[in-house]
Amino acid sequence: MKSTKIKLIIATVLMLTVTAFIKPNKPALHTIGDSTVRNSNKETWGWGTPIASLFDTTKIHVENNAMAGRSTRTYLSEGRWDKVLETLKPGDFVTMQFGHNDGSEPDTTKAGRRGVLKGTGEETKVLTWPDGKVETVHTYGWYLRKFVRETKAKGATPIVVSMIPRNEFRNGKVLRADQDFGKWAAEVAKQENAYFVDLNKITGDKYEAMGPEKVKAFFPGDHTHTNLEGAKVNAQSVVEGIKKLKGCKLKNYLL
């Protein structure tokens, strides 16, 4: 009897010791998008890099899976989305922000290889590449819906993010994407019952409050790509949007 009790105590101690050394499987936040989310981190930066410092990374893993120059179409066709999808697990989160590279007429030329059809419908365009490969191009909304639905199917949480505004002012007002890509992103989020952060509006409002001269300092080379300080502004804007999402558990991991 005494021997049995000793064995049970030893087994319990061993189990607790082993459990103490097993690292919990932390949830992950994956960011997908274009160069405004991930850039060279030299002269120009995307907001997906500095946003990690706004989360408690002892409790959540933040991984920037965006890639410069990509549209929704090429992010999918190059297999980048498949790689993210393979790693997704229940409890993870995915922010998706595209639009800057999606606007060209979709074709097989260098200029059109990234372009998508406008809107959120089911229209398609079939392209035949010089090597004989056939590609069916969809609308911007179709690609976003695919990302959202496949994220949910993995038990992860999709968060659609509208594209950051460019450094373009007209009569003191920032040009917005609320009639095209920003609007379509919001529509998809609503249709799919997904969370939506209107980064275009949040950052656009900040830029207007700052004024053209101050905002110009964030853009060292063109009207699209920010330096680190500009990326930090956008990262903070994303966090502000996340904080307003009712029921979104990603808020629990913010510092």
Side-chain angles (χ1 to χ4, degrees):
M1 187 72 175
K2 187 176 179 181
S3 175
T4 302
K5 285 184 177 180
I6 292 173
K7 288 180 180 178
L8 284 172
I9 292 171
I10 293 173
T12 302
V13 171
L14 285 172
M15 184 179 70
L16 291 173
T17 303
V18 171
T19 302
F21 284 96
I22 295 175
K23 292 183 179 179
N25 198 6
K26 292 191 294 187
L29 166 61
H30 296 268
T31 59
I32 67 172
D34 52 39
S35 58
T36 62
V37 184
R38 180 185 174 193
N39 215 319
S40 63
N41 294 350
K42 293 177 182 178
E43 185 179 22
T44 52
W45 293 65
W47 60 258
T49 301
I51 201 172
S53 67
L54 303 177
F55 284 90
D56 183 349
T57 52
T58 66
K59 296 179 180 178
I60 189 169
H61 171 64
V62 182
E63 186 168 327
N64 193 348
N65 295 119
M67 182 56 63
R70 272 57 184 184
S71 63
T72 49
R73 172 186 165 194
T74 53
Y75 197 83
L76 178 65
S77 65
E78 292 177 0
R80 297 180 186 279
W81 172 241
D82 289 338
K83 289 181 180 178
V84 173
L85 201 58
E86 287 173 4
T87 69
L88 283 187
K89 62 186 183 300
D92 284 354
F93 304 86
V94 181
T95 62
M96 46 197 75
Q97 184 230 280
F98 292 92
H100 285 283
N101 300 313
D102 296 69
S104 61
E105 181 66 25
D107 55 36
T108 59
T109 66
K110 183 177 180 180
R113 66 179 180 82
R114 303 184 297 187
V116 301
L117 297 176
K118 307 296 188 290
T120 62
E122 295 296 328
E123 303 90 341
T124 61
K125 181 177 181 179
V126 178
L127 302 175
T128 302
W129 288 81
D131 63 359
K133 179 184 176 181
V134 176
E135 179 188 9
T136 300
V137 180
H138 301 271
T139 64
Y140 175 76
W142 184 93
Y143 290 104
L144 278 185
R145 274 197 299 275
K146 181 177 178 64
F147 297 153
V148 167
R149 291 176 181 179
E150 293 183 350
T151 298
K152 285 186 174 184
K154 285 282 190 171
T157 300
I159 302 173
V160 180
V161 181
S162 59
M163 58 189 277
I164 65 167
R166 296 181 172 91
N167 179 28
E168 294 181 310
F169 283 79
R170 295 291 184 275
N171 300 318
K173 298 292 183 181
V174 174
L175 295 186
R176 310 292 179 113
D178 55 1
Q179 297 303 310
D180 44 52
F181 292 106
K183 175 186 175 184
W184 301 329
E187 289 175 354
V188 169
K190 185 176 180 180
Q191 292 164 1
E192 299 298 318
N193 194 29
Y195 292 114
F196 176 64
V197 171
D198 196 350
L199 181 59
N200 193 258
K201 182 181 188 306
I202 297 171
T203 295
D205 289 348
K206 287 183 179 180
Y207 283 179
E208 288 179 5
M210 293 176 185
E213 287 306 310
K214 188 171 182 179
V215 172
K216 185 179 179 181
F218 295 148
F219 294 85
D222 55 33
H223 62 15
T224 302
H225 303 99
T226 66
N227 56 19
L228 179 56
E229 289 308 306
K232 288 179 178 178
V233 170
N234 290 319
Q236 186 60 53
S237 293
V238 174
V239 165
E240 289 171 17
I242 290 170
K243 287 179 178 178
K244 295 178 181 179
L245 299 178
K246 187 176 180 180
C248 181
K249 294 181 179 179
L250 185 56
K251 290 185 286 188
N252 300 338
Y253 301 99
L254 289 166
L255 290 173

Coordinates of all heavy atoms in Angstrom, one line a residue, residues 4-90:
T4 N 2.6 1.7 -3.3 CA 1.7 2.2 -4.3 C 1.6 3.7 -4.2 O 1.6 4.5 -5.2 CB 0.4 1.6 -4.2 OG1 0.5 0.2 -4.3 CG2 -0.6 2.1 -5.3
K5 N 1.5 4.2 -3.0 CA 1.4 5.7 -2.8 C 2.6 6.4 -3.2 O 2.6 7.5 -3.8 CB 1.1 6.0 -1.3 CG -0.3 5.6 -0.8 CD -0.5 6.1 0.6 CE -2.0 5.8 1.0 NZ -2.2 6.2 2.5
I6 N 3.8 5.8 -2.9 CA 5.0 6.4 -3.3 C 5.2 6.5 -4.8 O 5.6 7.5 -5.4 CB 6.2 5.6 -2.7 CG1 6.2 5.8 -1.2 CG2 7.5 6.1 -3.3 CD1 7.3 4.9 -0.5
K7 N 4.7 5.4 -5.5 CA 4.8 5.4 -6.9 C 3.9 6.5 -7.5 O 4.2 7.1 -8.5 CB 4.4 4.0 -7.5 CG 5.4 2.9 -7.2 CD 5.0 1.6 -7.7 CE 6.0 0.5 -7.5 NZ 5.6 -0.8 -8.0
L8 N 2.7 6.6 -6.9 CA 1.8 7.6 -7.4 C 2.3 9.1 -7.3 O 2.2 9.9 -8.1 CB 0.4 7.5 -6.7 CG -0.5 6.4 -7.1 CD1 -1.7 6.3 -6.2 CD2 -1.0 6.6 -8.5
I9 N 3.0 9.3 -6.1 CA 3.6 10.6 -5.8 C 4.7 10.9 -6.9 O 4.8 12.0 -7.4 CB 4.1 10.6 -4.4 CG1 2.9 10.6 -3.4 CG2 5.0 11.9 -4.2 CD1 3.4 10.5 -2.0
I10 N 5.5 9.9 -7.1 CA 6.6 10.0 -8.0 C 6.1 10.3 -9.4 O 6.6 11.2 -10.2 CB 7.5 8.8 -8.0 CG1 8.3 8.6 -6.7 CG2 8.5 8.8 -9.2 CD1 9.0 7.3 -6.6
A11 N 5.1 9.6 -9.8 CA 4.5 9.7 -11.2 C 3.9 11.1 -11.3 O 4.0 11.8 -12.4 CB 3.4 8.7 -11.4
T12 N 3.2 11.6 -10.3 CA 2.6 13.0 -10.3 C 3.7 14.0 -10.4 O 3.6 15.0 -11.2 CB 1.8 13.2 -9.0 OG1 0.8 12.2 -8.9 CG2 1.2 14.6 -9.1
V13 N 4.8 13.9 -9.6 CA 5.9 14.8 -9.7 C 6.5 14.8 -11.1 O 6.8 15.9 -11.6 CB 7.0 14.5 -8.6 CG1 8.2 15.4 -8.8 CG2 6.4 14.7 -7.2
L14 N 6.7 13.7 -11.7 CA 7.3 13.6 -13.0 C 6.4 14.2 -14.0 O 6.9 15.0 -14.9 CB 7.5 12.1 -13.4 CG 8.7 11.4 -12.7 CD1 8.7 9.9 -13.0 CD2 10.0 12.0 -13.2
M15 N 5.1 14.0 -13.9 CA 4.2 14.6 -14.9 C 4.2 16.1 -14.8 O 4.2 16.8 -15.8 CB 2.8 14.1 -14.6 CG 1.7 14.6 -15.6 SD 0.1 13.9 -15.3 CE -0.3 14.8 -13.8
L16 N 4.2 16.7 -13.6 CA 4.2 18.1 -13.4 C 5.5 18.7 -13.9 O 5.5 19.8 -14.5 CB 4.0 18.4 -11.9 CG 2.6 18.2 -11.3 CD1 2.6 18.4 -9.8 CD2 1.6 19.0 -12.0
T17 N 6.6 18.0 -13.7 CA 7.9 18.5 -14.1 C 8.0 18.5 -15.7 O 8.4 19.5 -16.2 CB 9.0 17.5 -13.6 OG1 9.0 17.5 -12.2 CG2 10.4 18.1 -14.1
V18 N 7.5 17.5 -16.3 CA 7.5 17.4 -17.8 C 6.6 18.5 -18.3 O 6.9 19.3 -19.3 CB 7.0 16.1 -18.3 CG1 6.8 16.1 -19.8 CG2 8.1 15.0 -17.9
T19 N 5.4 18.7 -17.7 CA 4.4 19.7 -18.2 C 5.0 21.1 -18.1 O 4.8 22.0 -18.9 CB 3.1 19.6 -17.3 OG1 2.6 18.3 -17.4 CG2 2.1 20.6 -17.8
A20 N 5.8 21.3 -17.0 CA 6.4 22.7 -16.8 C 7.4 23.0 -17.9 O 7.6 24.2 -18.2 CB 7.1 22.7 -15.5
F21 N 8.0 22.0 -18.6 CA 9.0 22.3 -19.6 C 8.4 22.3 -21.0 O 9.0 22.6 -22.0 CB 10.1 21.3 -19.5 CG 11.1 21.6 -18.4 CD1 10.9 20.9 -17.2 CD2 12.1 22.5 -18.6 CE1 11.8 21.2 -16.1 CE2 13.0 22.8 -17.5 CZ 12.8 22.2 -16.3
I22 N 7.1 21.9 -21.1 CA 6.4 21.9 -22.4 C 6.0 23.3 -22.8 O 5.2 23.9 -22.0 CB 5.3 20.9 -22.5 CG1 5.7 19.5 -22.3 CG2 4.5 21.1 -23.8 CD1 4.6 18.5 -22.2
K23 N 6.4 23.9 -23.8 CA 6.0 25.2 -24.2 C 4.6 25.2 -24.8 O 4.3 24.4 -25.7 CB 7.0 25.8 -25.2 CG 8.4 26.1 -24.7 CD 9.3 26.7 -25.7 CE 10.7 27.0 -25.2 NZ 11.5 27.6 -26.2
P24 N 3.8 26.1 -24.3 CA 2.4 26.1 -24.9 C 2.4 26.6 -26.4 O 3.3 27.3 -26.8 CB 1.7 27.2 -24.0 CG 2.8 28.0 -23.5 CD 4.0 27.1 -23.3
N25 N 1.5 26.0 -27.1 CA 1.5 26.3 -28.6 C 0.8 27.7 -28.7 O -0.4 27.8 -28.8 CB 0.7 25.2 -29.3 CG 1.0 25.3 -30.8 OD1 1.8 26.0 -31.3 ND2 0.3 24.5 -31.5
K26 N 1.6 28.7 -28.9 CA 1.1 30.1 -28.9 C 0.3 30.3 -30.2 O 0.6 29.8 -31.3 CB 2.2 31.1 -28.9 CG 3.0 31.2 -27.6 CD 3.9 32.4 -27.5 CE 5.0 32.3 -28.6 NZ 6.0 33.4 -28.4
P27 N -0.8 31.1 -30.1 CA -1.4 31.5 -31.4 C -0.5 32.4 -32.2 O 0.4 33.0 -31.7 CB -2.7 32.3 -30.9 CG -2.3 32.8 -29.5 CD -1.4 31.7 -28.9
A28 N -0.8 32.5 -33.5 CA 0.0 33.3 -34.4 C -0.8 34.4 -35.1 O -2.0 34.1 -35.4 CB 0.7 32.4 -35.4
L29 N -0.3 35.5 -35.3 CA -0.9 36.6 -36.1 C -0.1 36.6 -37.4 O 1.1 36.9 -37.4 CB -0.8 37.9 -35.4 CG -1.1 39.1 -36.3 CD1 -2.5 39.0 -36.9 CD2 -0.9 40.4 -35.5
H30 N -0.7 36.3 -38.5 CA -0.1 36.4 -39.8 C -0.6 37.6 -40.5 O -1.8 37.8 -40.6 CB -0.4 35.1 -40.7 CG 0.1 33.8 -40.1 ND1 1.3 33.3 -40.5 CD2 -0.4 33.0 -39.2 CE1 1.5 32.2 -39.9 NE2 0.5 31.9 -39.1
T31 N 0.3 38.4 -41.1 CA -0.1 39.5 -41.9 C 0.2 39.2 -43.3 O 1.3 38.7 -43.7 CB 0.7 40.8 -41.5 OG1 2.1 40.6 -41.7 CG2 0.4 41.2 -40.1
I32 N -0.7 39.3 -44.2 CA -0.5 39.1 -45.7 C -0.8 40.4 -46.4 O -1.7 41.2 -46.0 CB -1.3 37.9 -46.2 CG1 -2.8 38.2 -46.2 CG2 -1.0 36.7 -45.4 CD1 -3.6 37.1 -47.0
G33 N -0.1 40.7 -47.5 CA -0.4 41.9 -48.2 C 0.8 42.2 -49.1 O 1.5 41.3 -49.6
D34 N 1.0 43.5 -49.4 CA 2.0 44.0 -50.3 C 3.1 44.7 -49.6 O 3.3 44.6 -48.4 CB 1.4 44.8 -51.4 CG 0.5 46.0 -50.8 OD1 0.9 46.5 -49.8 OD2 -0.6 46.2 -51.4
S35 N 3.9 45.6 -50.4 CA 5.0 46.3 -49.8 C 4.6 47.3 -48.7 O 5.5 47.7 -47.9 CB 5.8 47.0 -50.9 OG 4.9 48.0 -51.6
T36 N 3.4 47.7 -48.7 CA 3.0 48.6 -47.6 C 2.8 47.9 -46.3 O 2.7 48.5 -45.2 CB 1.7 49.4 -48.0 OG1 0.6 48.5 -48.1 CG2 1.9 50.2 -49.2
V37 N 2.9 46.6 -46.3 CA 2.8 45.7 -45.1 C 4.2 45.2 -44.8 O 4.6 45.0 -43.7 CB 1.8 44.6 -45.3 CG1 1.7 43.8 -44.0 CG2 0.4 45.1 -45.7
R38 N 4.9 44.8 -45.9 CA 6.3 44.3 -45.7 C 7.2 44.8 -46.8 O 6.9 44.6 -48.0 CB 6.3 42.8 -45.7 CG 7.7 42.2 -45.5 CD 7.7 40.7 -45.7 NE 9.0 40.1 -45.6 CZ 9.3 38.8 -46.0 NH1 8.3 38.0 -46.4 NH2 10.5 38.4 -46.0
N39 N 8.3 45.5 -46.4 CA 9.2 46.1 -47.4 C 10.6 45.7 -47.1 O 10.9 44.8 -46.2 CB 9.0 47.6 -47.5 CG 9.2 48.1 -48.9 OD1 10.1 47.7 -49.7 ND2 8.3 49.0 -49.4
S40 N 11.6 46.4 -47.6 CA 13.0 46.1 -47.5 C 13.5 46.3 -46.1 O 14.6 45.8 -45.7 CB 13.8 46.9 -48.5 OG 13.7 48.3 -48.2
N41 N 12.8 47.1 -45.3 CA 13.3 47.5 -44.0 C 14.6 48.2 -44.0 O 15.4 48.0 -43.1 CB 13.3 46.3 -43.0 CG 11.9 45.7 -42.7 OD1 10.9 46.3 -43.1 ND2 11.9 44.6 -42.1
K42 N 14.8 49.0 -45.0 CA 16.0 49.9 -45.1 C 15.5 51.3 -45.2 O 15.3 51.9 -44.1 CB 16.8 49.5 -46.3 CG 17.4 48.1 -46.2 CD 18.2 47.7 -47.5 CE 18.7 46.2 -47.3 NZ 19.4 45.8 -48.6
E43 N 15.3 51.8 -46.4 CA 14.7 53.2 -46.5 C 13.2 53.1 -46.3 O 12.6 54.0 -45.8 CB 15.1 53.8 -47.8 CG 14.7 55.2 -48.0 CD 15.1 55.8 -49.3 OE1 15.3 55.0 -50.3 OE2 15.1 57.0 -49.4
T44 N 12.6 52.1 -46.8 CA 11.2 51.9 -46.8 C 10.8 50.7 -45.9 O 11.4 49.7 -46.0 CB 10.6 51.9 -48.2 OG1 11.2 50.8 -48.9 CG2 10.7 53.2 -48.9
W45 N 9.7 50.9 -45.2 CA 9.2 49.9 -44.3 C 7.7 49.7 -44.5 O 7.0 50.6 -44.9 CB 9.4 50.2 -42.9 CG 10.8 50.3 -42.4 CD1 11.8 51.2 -42.9 CD2 11.5 49.5 -41.4 NE1 13.0 50.9 -42.3 CE2 12.8 49.9 -41.3 CE3 11.0 48.5 -40.6 CZ2 13.7 49.3 -40.5 CZ3 11.9 47.9 -39.7 CH2 13.2 48.3 -39.7
G46 N 7.2 48.4 -44.2 CA 5.8 48.2 -44.2 C 5.3 48.1 -42.7 O 6.1 47.8 -41.8
W47 N 4.0 48.3 -42.5 CA 3.5 48.4 -41.1 C 3.5 47.0 -40.4 O 3.5 46.9 -39.2 CB 2.2 49.0 -41.0 CG 1.1 48.3 -41.8 CD1 0.5 48.7 -43.0 CD2 0.3 47.1 -41.4 NE1 -0.5 47.9 -43.4 CE2 -0.6 46.9 -42.4 CE3 0.3 46.3 -40.3 CZ2 -1.5 45.8 -42.4 CZ3 -0.5 45.2 -40.3 CH2 -1.4 45.0 -41.3
G48 N 3.6 45.9 -41.2 CA 3.6 44.6 -40.6 C 4.8 44.3 -39.8 O 4.8 43.3 -39.0
T49 N 5.9 45.0 -39.9 CA 7.1 44.8 -39.1 C 7.0 45.5 -37.7 O 7.1 44.8 -36.7 CB 8.3 45.2 -39.9 OG1 8.4 44.5 -41.1 CG2 9.6 45.0 -39.0
P50 N 6.8 46.8 -37.7 CA 6.7 47.4 -36.4 C 5.5 47.1 -35.5 O 5.5 47.3 -34.3 CB 6.7 48.9 -36.7 CG 6.2 49.0 -38.1 CD 6.7 47.8 -38.8
I51 N 4.5 46.5 -36.2 CA 3.3 46.1 -35.4 C 3.6 45.1 -34.3 O 2.9 45.0 -33.3 CB 2.1 45.7 -36.3 CG1 0.8 45.9 -35.5 CG2 2.3 44.3 -36.8 CD1 -0.4 45.7 -36.4
A52 N 4.6 44.3 -34.6 CA 5.0 43.2 -33.6 C 5.3 43.8 -32.2 O 5.0 43.1 -31.2 CB 6.1 42.4 -34.1
S53 N 5.8 45.0 -32.2 CA 6.2 45.6 -30.9 C 5.0 46.1 -30.1 O 5.1 46.4 -29.0 CB 7.2 46.8 -31.2 OG 6.5 47.8 -31.8
L54 N 3.8 46.0 -30.7 CA 2.6 46.5 -30.1 C 1.8 45.3 -29.5 O 0.8 45.5 -28.9 CB 1.7 47.2 -31.1 CG 2.4 48.5 -31.7 CD1 1.4 49.1 -32.7 CD2 2.8 49.5 -30.7
F55 N 2.4 44.1 -29.7 CA 1.8 42.9 -29.1 C 2.7 42.3 -28.1 O 3.9 42.5 -28.1 CB 1.5 41.8 -30.2 CG 0.3 42.2 -31.1 CD1 0.5 42.9 -32.2 CD2 -0.9 41.7 -30.8 CE1 -0.6 43.2 -33.0 CE2 -2.0 42.0 -31.6 CZ -1.9 42.8 -32.7
D56 N 2.1 41.5 -27.2 CA 2.8 40.7 -26.2 C 3.3 39.4 -26.8 O 2.6 38.5 -26.9 CB 2.0 40.4 -25.0 CG 2.7 39.7 -23.9 OD1 3.9 39.3 -24.1 OD2 2.2 39.6 -22.7
T57 N 4.5 39.5 -27.3 CA 5.0 38.3 -28.1 C 5.4 37.1 -27.2 O 5.9 36.1 -27.8 CB 6.2 38.8 -29.0 OG1 7.2 39.4 -28.2 CG2 5.8 39.7 -30.1
T58 N 5.3 37.3 -25.9 CA 5.4 36.1 -25.1 C 4.1 35.2 -25.1 O 4.1 34.1 -24.7 CB 5.7 36.5 -23.6 OG1 4.6 37.1 -23.0 CG2 6.9 37.4 -23.5
K59 N 3.1 35.9 -25.6 CA 1.8 35.2 -25.7 C 1.3 34.9 -27.1 O 0.4 34.1 -27.3 CB 0.7 36.0 -24.9 CG 1.0 36.1 -23.5 CD -0.1 37.0 -22.8 CE 0.2 37.1 -21.3 NZ -0.8 38.0 -20.6
I60 N 1.8 35.6 -28.1 CA 1.4 35.5 -29.5 C 2.6 35.6 -30.4 O 3.5 36.5 -30.1 CB 0.3 36.5 -29.9 CG1 -0.3 36.1 -31.3 CG2 0.8 37.9 -29.8 CD1 -1.6 36.9 -31.6
H61 N 2.7 34.8 -31.4 CA 3.7 34.9 -32.4 C 3.3 35.8 -33.6 O 2.2 35.5 -34.1 CB 4.1 33.5 -32.9 CG 5.0 33.5 -34.1 ND1 6.3 34.0 -34.0 CD2 4.8 33.1 -35.4 CE1 6.9 33.8 -35.2 NE2 6.0 33.3 -36.0
V62 N 4.0 36.8 -33.9 CA 3.6 37.7 -35.0 C 4.5 37.4 -36.2 O 5.8 37.5 -36.1 CB 3.8 39.2 -34.6 CG1 3.3 40.1 -35.7 CG2 2.9 39.5 -33.3
E63 N 3.9 37.1 -37.3 CA 4.7 36.7 -38.5 C 4.3 37.5 -39.7 O 3.1 37.5 -40.1 CB 4.6 35.2 -38.8 CG 5.4 34.7 -39.9 CD 5.5 33.2 -40.0 OE1 5.4 32.6 -38.9 OE2 5.6 32.7 -41.1
N64 N 5.2 38.3 -40.3 CA 4.8 39.1 -41.5 C 5.0 38.3 -42.7 O 6.2 38.1 -43.2 CB 5.7 40.4 -41.5 CG 5.2 41.4 -42.5 OD1 4.4 41.1 -43.3 ND2 5.8 42.6 -42.4
N65 N 3.9 37.9 -43.3 CA 4.0 37.0 -44.5 C 3.7 37.8 -45.8 O 3.4 37.3 -46.9 CB 3.0 35.9 -44.4 CG 3.4 34.9 -43.3 OD1 2.7 34.7 -42.4 ND2 4.6 34.3 -43.4
A66 N 3.6 39.2 -45.7 CA 3.4 40.0 -46.9 C 4.6 40.0 -47.8 O 5.7 39.6 -47.4 CB 3.0 41.4 -46.4
M67 N 4.4 40.4 -49.0 CA 5.5 40.4 -50.0 C 5.3 41.6 -50.9 O 4.3 41.8 -51.5 CB 5.6 39.1 -50.8 CG 6.8 39.1 -51.8 SD 8.4 39.3 -51.0 CE 8.5 37.9 -49.9
A68 N 6.4 42.4 -51.1 CA 6.4 43.6 -51.9 C 6.0 43.2 -53.3 O 6.4 42.2 -53.9 CB 7.7 44.2 -51.9
G69 N 5.2 44.1 -53.9 CA 4.8 43.9 -55.4 C 3.6 43.0 -55.6 O 3.3 42.8 -56.8
R70 N 3.1 42.4 -54.6 CA 2.0 41.4 -54.9 C 0.6 42.0 -54.8 O 0.3 42.9 -54.0 CB 2.1 40.3 -53.9 CG 3.1 39.1 -54.3 CD 4.4 39.7 -54.6 NE 5.3 38.6 -55.1 CZ 6.6 38.9 -55.4 NH1 7.1 40.1 -55.1 NH2 7.4 37.9 -55.9
S71 N -0.2 41.4 -55.6 CA -1.7 41.7 -55.5 C -2.4 40.5 -55.0 O -1.7 39.5 -54.7 CB -2.2 42.0 -57.0 OG -2.1 40.8 -57.8
T72 N -3.7 40.6 -54.8 CA -4.4 39.4 -54.3 C -4.2 38.3 -55.3 O -4.0 37.1 -54.9 CB -5.9 39.7 -54.2 OG1 -6.4 40.3 -55.4 CG2 -6.2 40.6 -53.0
R73 N -4.2 38.6 -56.6 CA -4.0 37.6 -57.6 C -2.7 36.9 -57.6 O -2.6 35.6 -57.5 CB -4.2 38.2 -59.0 CG -3.9 37.3 -60.2 CD -4.1 38.2 -61.5 NE -3.5 37.5 -62.6 CZ -3.2 38.1 -63.8 NH1 -3.5 39.4 -63.9 NH2 -2.6 37.5 -64.8
T74 N -1.6 37.7 -57.5 CA -0.2 37.1 -57.5 C 0.1 36.4 -56.2 O 0.9 35.5 -56.1 CB 0.8 38.1 -58.0 OG1 0.7 39.2 -57.2 CG2 0.6 38.4 -59.4
Y75 N -0.4 37.0 -55.1 CA -0.2 36.4 -53.8 C -0.7 34.9 -53.8 O -0.1 34.0 -53.2 CB -0.8 37.2 -52.7 CG -0.2 36.8 -51.3 CD1 0.9 37.4 -50.9 CD2 -0.9 35.9 -50.5 CE1 1.5 37.1 -49.6 CE2 -0.3 35.6 -49.2 CZ 0.8 36.2 -48.8 OH 1.4 35.8 -47.6
L76 N -1.8 34.7 -54.5 CA -2.4 33.4 -54.6 C -1.6 32.6 -55.6 O -1.2 31.4 -55.4 CB -3.9 33.5 -55.0 CG -4.6 32.1 -55.2 CD1 -4.6 31.3 -53.9 CD2 -6.0 32.4 -55.7
S77 N -1.4 33.1 -56.8 CA -0.9 32.3 -57.9 C 0.6 31.9 -57.7 O 1.0 30.9 -58.2 CB -1.0 33.1 -59.3 OG -0.2 34.3 -59.2
E78 N 1.3 32.6 -56.9 CA 2.7 32.3 -56.6 C 2.8 31.3 -55.5 O 3.9 30.9 -55.1 CB 3.5 33.5 -56.2 CG 3.7 34.5 -57.4 CD 4.4 35.8 -57.0 OE1 4.7 35.9 -55.8 OE2 4.6 36.6 -57.8
G79 N 1.7 30.9 -54.9 CA 1.7 29.9 -53.9 C 2.0 30.4 -52.5 O 2.1 29.6 -51.5
R80 N 2.0 31.7 -52.4 CA 2.3 32.3 -51.1 C 1.2 32.1 -50.1 O 1.4 31.8 -48.9 CB 2.6 33.8 -51.2 CG 3.9 34.1 -52.1 CD 4.2 35.5 -52.2 NE 5.3 35.7 -53.2 CZ 6.6 35.6 -52.8 NH1 6.9 35.3 -51.6 NH2 7.5 35.7 -53.7
W81 N 0.0 32.2 -50.5 CA -1.2 32.0 -49.6 C -1.2 30.5 -49.2 O -1.5 30.2 -48.0 CB -2.5 32.3 -50.3 CG -3.7 31.9 -49.5 CD1 -4.7 31.1 -49.9 CD2 -4.0 32.4 -48.2 NE1 -5.6 30.9 -48.9 CE2 -5.2 31.7 -47.8 CE3 -3.4 33.2 -47.3 CZ2 -5.8 31.9 -46.6 CZ3 -4.0 33.4 -46.0 CH2 -5.2 32.8 -45.7
D82 N -0.9 29.6 -50.1 CA -0.9 28.2 -49.7 C 0.1 27.9 -48.6 O -0.2 27.1 -47.7 CB -0.5 27.3 -50.9 CG -1.7 27.2 -51.9 OD1 -2.8 27.5 -51.5 OD2 -1.4 27.0 -53.1
K83 N 1.2 28.6 -48.6 CA 2.2 28.4 -47.5 C 1.7 28.9 -46.2 O 2.0 28.2 -45.1 CB 3.5 29.1 -47.9 CG 4.3 28.4 -49.1 CD 5.6 29.1 -49.4 CE 6.3 28.4 -50.5 NZ 7.6 29.1 -50.9
V84 N 1.0 30.0 -46.2 CA 0.5 30.5 -45.0 C -0.6 29.6 -44.5 O -0.7 29.2 -43.3 CB -0.1 31.9 -45.2 CG1 -0.9 32.4 -43.9 CG2 1.0 32.9 -45.5
L85 N -1.5 29.1 -45.4 CA -2.6 28.2 -45.1 C -2.1 27.0 -44.4 O -2.8 26.4 -43.5 CB -3.4 27.9 -46.3 CG -4.8 27.5 -46.2 CD1 -5.7 28.5 -45.4 CD2 -5.4 27.2 -47.5
E86 N -1.0 26.4 -44.9 CA -0.5 25.2 -44.3 C -0.1 25.3 -42.8 O -0.2 24.3 -42.1 CB 0.8 24.8 -45.1 CG 0.5 24.2 -46.5 CD 1.8 24.0 -47.3 OE1 2.9 24.2 -46.7 OE2 1.7 23.6 -48.4
T87 N 0.2 26.5 -42.4 CA 0.7 26.7 -41.0 C -0.4 27.1 -40.1 O -0.3 27.1 -38.9 CB 1.8 27.7 -40.9 OG1 1.3 29.0 -41.3 CG2 2.9 27.4 -41.9
L88 N -1.6 27.5 -40.7 CA -2.7 28.1 -39.8 C -3.2 27.0 -38.9 O -3.4 25.8 -39.4 CB -3.8 28.6 -40.7 CG -3.6 30.0 -41.3 CD1 -4.8 30.5 -42.0 CD2 -3.1 31.0 -40.3
K89 N -3.6 27.4 -37.7 CA -4.2 26.4 -36.8 C -5.3 27.2 -36.0 O -5.4 28.4 -36.0 CB -3.1 25.9 -35.8 CG -2.5 27.0 -34.9 CD -1.4 26.5 -34.1 CE -0.8 27.6 -33.2 NZ -0.2 28.7 -34.0
P90 N -6.2 26.5 -35.4 CA -7.3 27.1 -34.6 C -6.7 28.1 -33.6 O -5.7 27.8 -32.9 CB -8.0 25.9 -33.9 CG -7.7 24.8 -34.9 CD -6.3 25.0 -35.4

